[in-house]
Amino acid sequence: MSNVHEEEALGKAYDARLMRRLMQYLHPYRWRVVLAMALVAVVTPLELAPPRIFQVAIDRYFLPSAERQFA
């Protein structure tokens, strides 16, 4: 019978009791966790920037000169 209860526990998407336990373990490191989350928020857009920069460079500088060359 314990297997049925274990399967029910594994099927939950969010377990508040487990989160409380994890937060207790993270409590001494809370500022490091906050810093890590802030850095994730800063780094993610920076990682998405290079494709946009290449798009602008190609559209504004490379393609207009190619169009003049073929015209």
Side-chain angles (χ1 to χ4, degrees), residues 9-57:
L10 290 176
K12 289 183 180 179
Y14 178 78
D15 187 3
R17 190 173 63 179
L18 177 62
M19 288 305 293
R20 267 187 256 119
R21 284 182 57 203
L22 288 173
M23 289 301 146
Q24 287 175 353
Y25 290 121
L26 286 176
H27 188 71
Y29 308 104
R30 67 183 170 270
W31 294 115
R32 290 182 184 177
V33 172
V34 169
L35 176 64
M37 297 305 265
L39 288 175
V40 166
V42 169
V43 168
T44 300
L46 292 176
E47 288 182 355
L48 296 174
R52 175 70 176 144
I53 293 169
F54 282 114
Q55 177 192 10
V56 169

